[in-house]
C-alpha cells in the first residue's frame, strides 16, 4: 500500500496544520475578549464568569480525553475536524444567548471542541514535524499566537459597533473561521495510514497477538509526567501574566490606563517572536540549549516583576517572561512526541491535560496571594515553578529525531506519485478497542 507523506505535498499539509493552530488561537482569543460584551448582553457578573471559565477548563480537559479516544479509534484528523466544528457550533450558540442557562450550554459545546482541538492539533503537529524531518513546532505555535493577536485587534475594531454588537459580530466571525478551516483542511491533514506507517517505522517490530505485526510499546508514564509538568509550569506563568499583568500595573503600580495593557502586549509580542525564531534556534543549537536559556530569561523576567515595583520594570519583566514561555510549550510537546512513536496520540492528549492544570493554578494562586504578600511578590510563584525546567532542559535533547520516521517518509514518497495529495482514500479502516493504534 502506498502512503503519501508531507514531503510529497509539503505546502498543502503544512498549511492545513498551521491553519488549524491559527483557528484555535483566533477562536479562544475572540471568546476571552468578547466577555465584556457577553456580560452586557446576558447581565452576568464577574463571579459567574469565573465559574463559567472554570467549567470551561474542566470541559476542555474532557475534550482532550475525547480527542485521544477518537484519534485511537479513527485518526487525529477526525478528532481535529470534529473539534473545530464543535467550536464553530458553540461560538454560534453563544451569540444567541441572552441569559445564563443558554450561555452555559453554548460554552459546554465550545469548551469540549476547544479541548479536542488543543490535543489533536498537537498530535498532527508532532507527526508533521517527524515526517518533515526538522523542527517546525515553534512555527506552528506562532500561527496560534499571531491569530490570537489578530482576534484581539479585530475585537477592538468591532467595538466601534457597540460593546454588545461588536462582541456578537466577532463571535460570528470566529465561528465562520472555525467552520471554514475545518471543511477546507479535512482532506489535506495527515491521514491515519501515514501516521501508522511512521509509527511502524519508529517502533521495534515484534510479533503481535493482535495480528498487526507489532505490539504497542508501554505508555511512557514517567515521561508524560515529566514533560507534562513542563507544560503545566509554562501555563502557570502564561495564566499569571494573562490574568494579572494589567491588574498589577493599573491597581498596584498606578500605571495610566494607556500604559496598563502594555505589560500583556509586551508579553504576547515576545511569545510570538520567540516562536517565530524558535525552530531556527533549535536546528542550530538543539532543544536543550534553547529551552535552558529561554526559560532562565523568563525566570529573570518574573523576578524583575516581583522585586522591582515600577511600571517600566514590570513591562520589561513580562516581555522577558514571554521569551521562555513561547519556547517551552512547543518544545515540550516536540520531545513528548518522541517518547512512544506508536502511541503518539495518547501521549500528546495526556500531555495536553497539564495545560489546563497550569492555567487554573496560575490564575487562582496569584489571586489568592495578592491578598497576602501582594500581587507583585506573587509573581515569584511562577518564577520558582519554572526553575526546575532549567534543570530538566538537558532531557530535551538536541534537534527533533527524524530517524526511522524520516526514512518512512522517504520510502513512502518513493512508491507514491509526487503529486498525489493526502486524501481520505489513503486512510486505513477504523480500528476498535485498545489495540486500535
Amino acid at each position: 500500500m502506498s502512503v503519501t507523506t508531507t514531503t510529497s505535498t509539503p505546502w498543502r499539509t503544512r498549511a492545513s496544520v498551521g491553519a488549524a493552530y491559527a483557528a484555535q488561537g483566533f477562536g479562544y482569543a475572540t471568546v476571552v475578549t468578547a466577555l465584556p460584551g457577553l456580560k452586557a448582553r446576558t447581565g452576568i457578573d464577574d463571579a459567574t464568569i469565573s465559574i463559567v471559565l472554570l467549567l470551561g477548563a474542566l470541559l476542555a480537559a474532557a475534550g482532550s480525553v475525547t480527542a485521544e479516544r477518537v484519534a485511537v479509534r479513527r485518526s487525529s484528523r477526525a478528532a481535529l475536524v470534529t473539534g473545530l466544528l464543535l467550536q464553530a457550533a458553540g461560538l454560534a450558540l453563544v451569540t444567541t444567548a441572552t441569559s445564563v442557562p443558554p450561555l452555559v450550554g453554548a460554552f459546554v459545546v465550545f469548551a469540549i471542541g476547544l479541548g479536542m482541538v488543543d490535543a489533536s492539533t498537537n498530535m498532527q503537529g508532532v507527526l508533521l514535524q517527524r515526517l518533515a524531518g526538522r523542527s517546525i513546532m515553534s512555527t506552528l505555535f506562532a500561527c496560534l499566537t499571531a491569530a490570537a493577536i489578530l482576534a484581539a485587534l479585530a475585537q477592538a475594531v468591532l467595538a466601534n459597533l457597540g460593546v454588545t454588537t461588536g462582541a456578537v459580530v466577532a463571535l460570528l466571525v470566529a465561528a465562520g473561521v472555525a467552520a471554514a478551516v475545518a471543511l477546507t483542511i479535512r482532506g489535506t491533514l495527515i491521514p491515519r495510514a501515514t501516521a501508522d506507517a511512521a509509527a511502524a517505522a519508529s517502533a521495534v517490530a515484534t510479533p503481535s497477538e493482535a495480528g498487526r505485526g507489532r505490539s504497542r510499546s508501554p505508555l511512557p508514564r514517567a515521561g508524560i509526567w515529566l514533560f507534562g509538568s513542563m507544560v503545566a509550569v509554562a501555563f502557570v506563568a502564561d495564566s499569571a501574566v494573562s490574568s494579572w499583568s494589567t491588574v498589577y500595573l493599573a491597581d498596584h503600580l498606578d500605571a495610566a490606563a494607556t500604559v496598563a495593557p502594555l505589560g500583556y502586549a509586551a508579553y504576547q509580542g515576545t511569545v510570538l517572536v520567540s516562536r517565530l525564531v524558535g525552530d531556527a534556534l533549535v536546528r542550530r543549537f538543539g532543544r536543550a540549549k534553547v529551552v535552558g536559556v529561554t526559560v532562565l530569561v523568563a525566570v529573570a523576567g518574573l523576578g524583575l516583576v516581583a522585586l522591582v515595583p515600577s511600571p517600566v520594570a514590570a513591562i520589561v519583566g513580562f516581555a522577558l517572561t514571554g521569551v521562555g514561555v513561547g519556547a517551552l510549550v512547543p518544545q515540550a510537546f516536540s520531545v513528548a512526541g518522541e517518547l512512544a512513536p506508536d502511541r503518539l496520540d495518547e501521549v500528546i492528549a495526556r500531555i495536553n491535560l497539564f495545560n489546563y492544570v497550569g492555567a487554573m493554578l496560575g490564575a487562582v494562586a496569584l489571586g489568592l496571594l495578592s491578598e497576602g504578600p501582594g500581587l507583585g511578590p506573587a509573581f515569584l510563584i511562577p518564577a520558582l515553578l519554572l526553575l526546575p525546567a532549567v534543570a530538566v532542559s538537558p532531557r530535551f535533547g538536541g534537534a527533533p529525531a527524524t530517524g526511522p520516521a524520516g526514512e518512512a517518509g522517504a520510502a513512502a514518497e518513493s512508491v507514491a506519485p509526487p503529486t498525489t495529495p493526502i486524501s481520505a482514500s489513503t486512510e486505513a479502516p477504523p480500528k476498535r478497542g485498545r489495540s486500535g493504534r
Side-chain angles (χ1 to χ4, degrees), residues 254-288:
D254 297 322
T258 54
V259 174
L262 295 182
Y264 183 63
Y267 168 77
Q268 284 291 356
T270 53
V271 166
L272 178 59
V273 171
S274 177
R275 289 174 173 174
L276 287 173
V277 303
D279 289 322
L281 293 175
V282 166
R283 290 193 288 270
R284 181 169 182 179
F285 300 107
R287 286 184 303 218

PDB file of all heavy atoms in Angstrom, residues 254-288:
ATOM      1  N   ASP A 254      -0.154  51.878  39.883  1.00  0.00           N
ATOM      2  CA  ASP A 254      -0.771  53.142  39.471  1.00  0.00           C
ATOM      3  C   ASP A 254      -0.385  53.575  38.066  1.00  0.00           C
ATOM      4  O   ASP A 254      -0.223  54.777  37.789  1.00  0.00           O
ATOM      5  CB  ASP A 254      -0.425  54.254  40.477  1.00  0.00           C
ATOM      6  CG  ASP A 254      -0.978  53.962  41.862  1.00  0.00           C
ATOM      7  OD1 ASP A 254      -2.095  53.426  41.944  1.00  0.00           O
ATOM      8  OD2 ASP A 254      -0.279  54.239  42.852  1.00  0.00           O
ATOM      9  N   ALA A 255      -0.248  52.621  37.178  1.00  0.00           N
ATOM     10  CA  ALA A 255       0.062  52.955  35.791  1.00  0.00           C
ATOM     11  C   ALA A 255      -1.165  53.570  35.133  1.00  0.00           C
ATOM     12  O   ALA A 255      -2.309  53.254  35.483  1.00  0.00           O
ATOM     13  CB  ALA A 255       0.498  51.706  35.026  1.00  0.00           C
ATOM     14  N   ALA A 256      -0.928  54.440  34.179  1.00  0.00           N
ATOM     15  CA  ALA A 256      -2.037  55.074  33.455  1.00  0.00           C
ATOM     16  C   ALA A 256      -2.818  54.029  32.671  1.00  0.00           C
ATOM     17  O   ALA A 256      -2.308  52.961  32.333  1.00  0.00           O
ATOM     18  CB  ALA A 256      -1.493  56.138  32.509  1.00  0.00           C
ATOM     19  N   ALA A 257      -4.063  54.358  32.367  1.00  0.00           N
ATOM     20  CA  ALA A 257      -4.928  53.430  31.649  1.00  0.00           C
ATOM     21  C   ALA A 257      -4.346  53.059  30.282  1.00  0.00           C
ATOM     22  O   ALA A 257      -4.583  51.956  29.779  1.00  0.00           O
ATOM     23  CB  ALA A 257      -6.309  54.052  31.464  1.00  0.00           C
ATOM     24  N   THR A 258      -3.577  53.962  29.699  1.00  0.00           N
ATOM     25  CA  THR A 258      -2.971  53.670  28.399  1.00  0.00           C
ATOM     26  C   THR A 258      -1.702  52.825  28.527  1.00  0.00           C
ATOM     27  O   THR A 258      -1.231  52.245  27.543  1.00  0.00           O
ATOM     28  CB  THR A 258      -2.606  54.986  27.687  1.00  0.00           C
ATOM     29  OG1 THR A 258      -1.779  55.783  28.548  1.00  0.00           O
ATOM     30  CG2 THR A 258      -3.860  55.760  27.326  1.00  0.00           C
ATOM     31  N   VAL A 259      -1.165  52.759  29.734  1.00  0.00           N
ATOM     32  CA  VAL A 259       0.079  52.016  29.974  1.00  0.00           C
ATOM     33  C   VAL A 259      -0.193  50.604  30.488  1.00  0.00           C
ATOM     34  O   VAL A 259       0.518  49.656  30.150  1.00  0.00           O
ATOM     35  CB  VAL A 259       0.983  52.780  30.978  1.00  0.00           C
ATOM     36  CG1 VAL A 259       2.211  51.948  31.359  1.00  0.00           C
ATOM     37  CG2 VAL A 259       1.405  54.113  30.383  1.00  0.00           C
ATOM     38  N   ALA A 260      -1.235  50.454  31.291  1.00  0.00           N
ATOM     39  CA  ALA A 260      -1.506  49.174  31.960  1.00  0.00           C
ATOM     40  C   ALA A 260      -1.583  47.974  31.005  1.00  0.00           C
ATOM     41  O   ALA A 260      -1.046  46.900  31.315  1.00  0.00           O
ATOM     42  CB  ALA A 260      -2.789  49.275  32.779  1.00  0.00           C
ATOM     43  N   PRO A 261      -2.213  48.091  29.838  1.00  0.00           N
ATOM     44  CA  PRO A 261      -2.283  46.920  28.943  1.00  0.00           C
ATOM     45  C   PRO A 261      -0.955  46.565  28.275  1.00  0.00           C
ATOM     46  O   PRO A 261      -0.846  45.511  27.644  1.00  0.00           O
ATOM     47  CB  PRO A 261      -3.318  47.335  27.888  1.00  0.00           C
ATOM     48  CG  PRO A 261      -4.034  48.506  28.457  1.00  0.00           C
ATOM     49  CD  PRO A 261      -3.034  49.204  29.326  1.00  0.00           C
ATOM     50  N   LEU A 262       0.052  47.452  28.386  1.00  0.00           N
ATOM     51  CA  LEU A 262       1.299  47.224  27.665  1.00  0.00           C
ATOM     52  C   LEU A 262       2.077  46.022  28.202  1.00  0.00           C
ATOM     53  O   LEU A 262       2.866  45.414  27.471  1.00  0.00           O
ATOM     54  CB  LEU A 262       2.179  48.476  27.716  1.00  0.00           C
ATOM     55  CG  LEU A 262       1.620  49.713  27.000  1.00  0.00           C
ATOM     56  CD1 LEU A 262       2.610  50.868  27.088  1.00  0.00           C
ATOM     57  CD2 LEU A 262       1.294  49.387  25.545  1.00  0.00           C
ATOM     58  N   GLY A 263       1.862  45.672  29.465  1.00  0.00           N
ATOM     59  CA  GLY A 263       2.540  44.506  30.015  1.00  0.00           C
ATOM     60  C   GLY A 263       2.133  43.240  29.278  1.00  0.00           C
ATOM     61  O   GLY A 263       2.985  42.446  28.852  1.00  0.00           O
ATOM     62  N   TYR A 264       0.831  43.082  29.104  1.00  0.00           N
ATOM     63  CA  TYR A 264       0.342  41.898  28.398  1.00  0.00           C
ATOM     64  C   TYR A 264       0.706  41.964  26.912  1.00  0.00           C
ATOM     65  O   TYR A 264       1.050  40.947  26.304  1.00  0.00           O
ATOM     66  CB  TYR A 264      -1.173  41.780  28.556  1.00  0.00           C
ATOM     67  CG  TYR A 264      -1.750  40.545  27.909  1.00  0.00           C
ATOM     68  CD1 TYR A 264      -1.389  39.278  28.336  1.00  0.00           C
ATOM     69  CD2 TYR A 264      -2.648  40.652  26.856  1.00  0.00           C
ATOM     70  CE1 TYR A 264      -1.900  38.142  27.736  1.00  0.00           C
ATOM     71  CE2 TYR A 264      -3.181  39.515  26.247  1.00  0.00           C
ATOM     72  CZ  TYR A 264      -2.804  38.260  26.691  1.00  0.00           C
ATOM     73  OH  TYR A 264      -3.311  37.140  26.088  1.00  0.00           O
ATOM     74  N   ALA A 265       0.655  43.160  26.332  1.00  0.00           N
ATOM     75  CA  ALA A 265       1.024  43.315  24.925  1.00  0.00           C
ATOM     76  C   ALA A 265       2.491  42.945  24.708  1.00  0.00           C
ATOM     77  O   ALA A 265       2.837  42.256  23.737  1.00  0.00           O
ATOM     78  CB  ALA A 265       0.758  44.744  24.461  1.00  0.00           C
ATOM     79  N   ALA A 266       3.360  43.399  25.620  1.00  0.00           N
ATOM     80  CA  ALA A 266       4.782  43.074  25.515  1.00  0.00           C
ATOM     81  C   ALA A 266       5.009  41.573  25.656  1.00  0.00           C
ATOM     82  O   ALA A 266       5.822  40.975  24.946  1.00  0.00           O
ATOM     83  CB  ALA A 266       5.570  43.826  26.583  1.00  0.00           C
ATOM     84  N   TYR A 267       4.272  40.965  26.567  1.00  0.00           N
ATOM     85  CA  TYR A 267       4.375  39.515  26.769  1.00  0.00           C
ATOM     86  C   TYR A 267       3.982  38.762  25.510  1.00  0.00           C
ATOM     87  O   TYR A 267       4.716  37.887  25.029  1.00  0.00           O
ATOM     88  CB  TYR A 267       3.486  39.103  27.943  1.00  0.00           C
ATOM     89  CG  TYR A 267       3.280  37.609  28.077  1.00  0.00           C
ATOM     90  CD1 TYR A 267       4.279  36.808  28.608  1.00  0.00           C
ATOM     91  CD2 TYR A 267       2.096  37.007  27.660  1.00  0.00           C
ATOM     92  CE1 TYR A 267       4.105  35.435  28.715  1.00  0.00           C
ATOM     93  CE2 TYR A 267       1.906  35.641  27.774  1.00  0.00           C
ATOM     94  CZ  TYR A 267       2.910  34.857  28.297  1.00  0.00           C
ATOM     95  OH  TYR A 267       2.730  33.509  28.407  1.00  0.00           O
ATOM     96  N   GLN A 268       2.812  39.072  24.939  1.00  0.00           N
ATOM     97  CA  GLN A 268       2.362  38.382  23.741  1.00  0.00           C
ATOM     98  C   GLN A 268       3.311  38.631  22.562  1.00  0.00           C
ATOM     99  O   GLN A 268       3.534  37.739  21.740  1.00  0.00           O
ATOM    100  CB  GLN A 268       0.946  38.826  23.368  1.00  0.00           C
ATOM    101  CG  GLN A 268      -0.144  38.239  24.233  1.00  0.00           C
ATOM    102  CD  GLN A 268      -0.329  36.742  24.003  1.00  0.00           C
ATOM    103  OE1 GLN A 268       0.302  36.152  23.150  1.00  0.00           O
ATOM    104  NE2 GLN A 268      -1.194  36.131  24.796  1.00  0.00           N
ATOM    105  N   GLY A 269       3.862  39.831  22.500  1.00  0.00           N
ATOM    106  CA  GLY A 269       4.794  40.143  21.416  1.00  0.00           C
ATOM    107  C   GLY A 269       6.038  39.271  21.464  1.00  0.00           C
ATOM    108  O   GLY A 269       6.486  38.736  20.438  1.00  0.00           O
ATOM    109  N   THR A 270       6.616  39.094  22.665  1.00  0.00           N
ATOM    110  CA  THR A 270       7.826  38.274  22.765  1.00  0.00           C
ATOM    111  C   THR A 270       7.514  36.779  22.649  1.00  0.00           C
ATOM    112  O   THR A 270       8.359  36.007  22.192  1.00  0.00           O
ATOM    113  CB  THR A 270       8.575  38.556  24.078  1.00  0.00           C
ATOM    114  OG1 THR A 270       7.681  38.408  25.189  1.00  0.00           O
ATOM    115  CG2 THR A 270       9.175  39.953  24.065  1.00  0.00           C
ATOM    116  N   VAL A 271       6.312  36.370  23.062  1.00  0.00           N
ATOM    117  CA  VAL A 271       5.907  34.976  22.814  1.00  0.00           C
ATOM    118  C   VAL A 271       5.918  34.708  21.309  1.00  0.00           C
ATOM    119  O   VAL A 271       6.449  33.684  20.844  1.00  0.00           O
ATOM    120  CB  VAL A 271       4.505  34.693  23.403  1.00  0.00           C
ATOM    121  CG1 VAL A 271       3.952  33.369  22.859  1.00  0.00           C
ATOM    122  CG2 VAL A 271       4.558  34.623  24.922  1.00  0.00           C
ATOM    123  N   LEU A 272       5.348  35.632  20.545  1.00  0.00           N
ATOM    124  CA  LEU A 272       5.299  35.465  19.090  1.00  0.00           C
ATOM    125  C   LEU A 272       6.699  35.440  18.487  1.00  0.00           C
ATOM    126  O   LEU A 272       7.029  34.564  17.676  1.00  0.00           O
ATOM    127  CB  LEU A 272       4.474  36.588  18.461  1.00  0.00           C
ATOM    128  CG  LEU A 272       4.367  36.565  16.940  1.00  0.00           C
ATOM    129  CD1 LEU A 272       3.739  35.253  16.466  1.00  0.00           C
ATOM    130  CD2 LEU A 272       3.558  37.754  16.437  1.00  0.00           C
ATOM    131  N   VAL A 273       7.545  36.388  18.893  1.00  0.00           N
ATOM    132  CA  VAL A 273       8.907  36.439  18.346  1.00  0.00           C
ATOM    133  C   VAL A 273       9.675  35.172  18.706  1.00  0.00           C
ATOM    134  O   VAL A 273      10.378  34.584  17.867  1.00  0.00           O
ATOM    135  CB  VAL A 273       9.645  37.689  18.873  1.00  0.00           C
ATOM    136  CG1 VAL A 273      11.124  37.636  18.500  1.00  0.00           C
ATOM    137  CG2 VAL A 273       9.005  38.954  18.324  1.00  0.00           C
ATOM    138  N   SER A 274       9.532  34.734  19.955  1.00  0.00           N
ATOM    139  CA  SER A 274      10.214  33.517  20.406  1.00  0.00           C
ATOM    140  C   SER A 274       9.819  32.322  19.551  1.00  0.00           C
ATOM    141  O   SER A 274      10.657  31.472  19.209  1.00  0.00           O
ATOM    142  CB  SER A 274       9.871  33.255  21.877  1.00  0.00           C
ATOM    143  OG  SER A 274      10.459  32.062  22.337  1.00  0.00           O
ATOM    144  N   ARG A 275       8.544  32.255  19.171  1.00  0.00           N
ATOM    145  CA  ARG A 275       8.077  31.124  18.372  1.00  0.00           C
ATOM    146  C   ARG A 275       8.452  31.264  16.907  1.00  0.00           C
ATOM    147  O   ARG A 275       8.691  30.259  16.225  1.00  0.00           O
ATOM    148  CB  ARG A 275       6.567  30.965  18.550  1.00  0.00           C
ATOM    149  CG  ARG A 275       6.237  30.459  19.943  1.00  0.00           C
ATOM    150  CD  ARG A 275       4.773  30.407  20.280  1.00  0.00           C
ATOM    151  NE  ARG A 275       4.595  29.753  21.585  1.00  0.00           N
ATOM    152  CZ  ARG A 275       3.447  29.641  22.219  1.00  0.00           C
ATOM    153  NH1 ARG A 275       2.341  30.145  21.695  1.00  0.00           N
ATOM    154  NH2 ARG A 275       3.394  29.022  23.384  1.00  0.00           N
ATOM    155  N   LEU A 276       8.520  32.491  16.416  1.00  0.00           N
ATOM    156  CA  LEU A 276       8.914  32.693  15.027  1.00  0.00           C
ATOM    157  C   LEU A 276      10.368  32.296  14.780  1.00  0.00           C
ATOM    158  O   LEU A 276      10.706  31.777  13.716  1.00  0.00           O
ATOM    159  CB  LEU A 276       8.687  34.146  14.620  1.00  0.00           C
ATOM    160  CG  LEU A 276       7.234  34.585  14.414  1.00  0.00           C
ATOM    161  CD1 LEU A 276       7.145  36.089  14.189  1.00  0.00           C
ATOM    162  CD2 LEU A 276       6.595  33.833  13.247  1.00  0.00           C
ATOM    163  N   VAL A 277      11.232  32.529  15.768  1.00  0.00           N
ATOM    164  CA  VAL A 277      12.654  32.209  15.599  1.00  0.00           C
ATOM    165  C   VAL A 277      13.025  30.877  16.246  1.00  0.00           C
ATOM    166  O   VAL A 277      14.148  30.401  16.080  1.00  0.00           O
ATOM    167  CB  VAL A 277      13.543  33.326  16.180  1.00  0.00           C
ATOM    168  CG1 VAL A 277      13.220  34.662  15.530  1.00  0.00           C
ATOM    169  CG2 VAL A 277      13.414  33.430  17.694  1.00  0.00           C
ATOM    170  N   GLY A 278      12.073  30.270  16.975  1.00  0.00           N
ATOM    171  CA  GLY A 278      12.391  29.087  17.767  1.00  0.00           C
ATOM    172  C   GLY A 278      12.908  27.915  16.967  1.00  0.00           C
ATOM    173  O   GLY A 278      13.877  27.260  17.358  1.00  0.00           O
ATOM    174  N   ASP A 279      12.284  27.619  15.831  1.00  0.00           N
ATOM    175  CA  ASP A 279      12.706  26.456  15.056  1.00  0.00           C
ATOM    176  C   ASP A 279      14.117  26.622  14.509  1.00  0.00           C
ATOM    177  O   ASP A 279      14.905  25.670  14.504  1.00  0.00           O
ATOM    178  CB  ASP A 279      11.719  26.198  13.917  1.00  0.00           C
ATOM    179  CG  ASP A 279      10.391  25.676  14.417  1.00  0.00           C
ATOM    180  OD1 ASP A 279      10.389  24.875  15.369  1.00  0.00           O
ATOM    181  OD2 ASP A 279       9.348  26.079  13.871  1.00  0.00           O
ATOM    182  N   ALA A 280      14.443  27.825  14.058  1.00  0.00           N
ATOM    183  CA  ALA A 280      15.799  28.067  13.558  1.00  0.00           C
ATOM    184  C   ALA A 280      16.824  27.901  14.676  1.00  0.00           C
ATOM    185  O   ALA A 280      17.904  27.326  14.471  1.00  0.00           O
ATOM    186  CB  ALA A 280      15.893  29.472  12.959  1.00  0.00           C
ATOM    187  N   LEU A 281      16.484  28.369  15.869  1.00  0.00           N
ATOM    188  CA  LEU A 281      17.395  28.222  17.005  1.00  0.00           C
ATOM    189  C   LEU A 281      17.562  26.759  17.404  1.00  0.00           C
ATOM    190  O   LEU A 281      18.662  26.317  17.729  1.00  0.00           O
ATOM    191  CB  LEU A 281      16.878  29.035  18.199  1.00  0.00           C
ATOM    192  CG  LEU A 281      16.886  30.561  18.031  1.00  0.00           C
ATOM    193  CD1 LEU A 281      16.248  31.239  19.236  1.00  0.00           C
ATOM    194  CD2 LEU A 281      18.324  31.061  17.838  1.00  0.00           C
ATOM    195  N   VAL A 282      16.462  26.007  17.376  1.00  0.00           N
ATOM    196  CA  VAL A 282      16.544  24.580  17.714  1.00  0.00           C
ATOM    197  C   VAL A 282      17.416  23.848  16.701  1.00  0.00           C
ATOM    198  O   VAL A 282      18.235  22.995  17.078  1.00  0.00           O
ATOM    199  CB  VAL A 282      15.133  23.961  17.776  1.00  0.00           C
ATOM    200  CG1 VAL A 282      15.210  22.435  17.792  1.00  0.00           C
ATOM    201  CG2 VAL A 282      14.405  24.454  19.014  1.00  0.00           C
ATOM    202  N   ARG A 283      17.260  24.163  15.432  1.00  0.00           N
ATOM    203  CA  ARG A 283      18.065  23.490  14.411  1.00  0.00           C
ATOM    204  C   ARG A 283      19.546  23.813  14.570  1.00  0.00           C
ATOM    205  O   ARG A 283      20.399  22.983  14.250  1.00  0.00           O
ATOM    206  CB  ARG A 283      17.572  23.882  13.011  1.00  0.00           C
ATOM    207  CG  ARG A 283      16.204  23.299  12.658  1.00  0.00           C
ATOM    208  CD  ARG A 283      15.903  23.428  11.182  1.00  0.00           C
ATOM    209  NE  ARG A 283      15.625  24.798  10.767  1.00  0.00           N
ATOM    210  CZ  ARG A 283      14.402  25.338  10.758  1.00  0.00           C
ATOM    211  NH1 ARG A 283      13.359  24.629  11.163  1.00  0.00           N
ATOM    212  NH2 ARG A 283      14.218  26.582  10.363  1.00  0.00           N
ATOM    213  N   ARG A 284      19.841  24.998  15.087  1.00  0.00           N
ATOM    214  CA  ARG A 284      21.251  25.381  15.223  1.00  0.00           C
ATOM    215  C   ARG A 284      21.856  24.943  16.547  1.00  0.00           C
ATOM    216  O   ARG A 284      22.986  24.453  16.594  1.00  0.00           O
ATOM    217  CB  ARG A 284      21.386  26.901  15.079  1.00  0.00           C
ATOM    218  CG  ARG A 284      22.820  27.384  15.193  1.00  0.00           C
ATOM    219  CD  ARG A 284      22.979  28.830  14.786  1.00  0.00           C
ATOM    220  NE  ARG A 284      24.367  29.254  14.860  1.00  0.00           N
ATOM    221  CZ  ARG A 284      24.800  30.475  14.538  1.00  0.00           C
ATOM    222  NH1 ARG A 284      23.926  31.385  14.098  1.00  0.00           N
ATOM    223  NH2 ARG A 284      26.072  30.781  14.634  1.00  0.00           N
ATOM    224  N   PHE A 285      21.105  25.108  17.641  1.00  0.00           N
ATOM    225  CA  PHE A 285      21.682  24.865  18.963  1.00  0.00           C
ATOM    226  C   PHE A 285      21.119  23.634  19.676  1.00  0.00           C
ATOM    227  O   PHE A 285      21.686  23.182  20.669  1.00  0.00           O
ATOM    228  CB  PHE A 285      21.464  26.096  19.861  1.00  0.00           C
ATOM    229  CG  PHE A 285      22.086  27.348  19.336  1.00  0.00           C
ATOM    230  CD1 PHE A 285      21.310  28.368  18.803  1.00  0.00           C
ATOM    231  CD2 PHE A 285      23.468  27.529  19.353  1.00  0.00           C
ATOM    232  CE1 PHE A 285      21.870  29.539  18.319  1.00  0.00           C
ATOM    233  CE2 PHE A 285      24.047  28.689  18.870  1.00  0.00           C
ATOM    234  CZ  PHE A 285      23.246  29.698  18.344  1.00  0.00           C
ATOM    235  N   GLY A 286      19.986  23.102  19.199  1.00  0.00           N
ATOM    236  CA  GLY A 286      19.358  21.978  19.872  1.00  0.00           C
ATOM    237  C   GLY A 286      18.307  22.431  20.867  1.00  0.00           C
ATOM    238  O   GLY A 286      18.349  23.556  21.380  1.00  0.00           O
ATOM    239  N   ARG A 287      17.360  21.539  21.156  1.00  0.00           N
ATOM    240  CA  ARG A 287      16.256  21.891  22.060  1.00  0.00           C
ATOM    241  C   ARG A 287      16.739  22.188  23.463  1.00  0.00           C
ATOM    242  O   ARG A 287      16.224  23.092  24.131  1.00  0.00           O
ATOM    243  CB  ARG A 287      15.231  20.758  22.088  1.00  0.00           C
ATOM    244  CG  ARG A 287      14.375  20.665  20.859  1.00  0.00           C
ATOM    245  CD  ARG A 287      13.313  19.593  20.974  1.00  0.00           C
ATOM    246  NE  ARG A 287      13.862  18.280  21.257  1.00  0.00           N
ATOM    247  CZ  ARG A 287      13.399  17.151  20.748  1.00  0.00           C
ATOM    248  NH1 ARG A 287      12.365  17.171  19.935  1.00  0.00           N
ATOM    249  NH2 ARG A 287      13.940  15.996  21.040  1.00  0.00           N
ATOM    250  N   ALA A 288      17.707  21.415  23.961  1.00  0.00           N
ATOM    251  CA  ALA A 288      18.130  21.568  25.355  1.00  0.00           C
ATOM    252  C   ALA A 288      18.650  22.977  25.630  1.00  0.00           C
ATOM    253  O   ALA A 288      18.262  23.615  26.611  1.00  0.00           O
ATOM    254  CB  ALA A 288      19.199  20.530  25.692  1.00  0.00           C
TER     255      ALA A 288
END
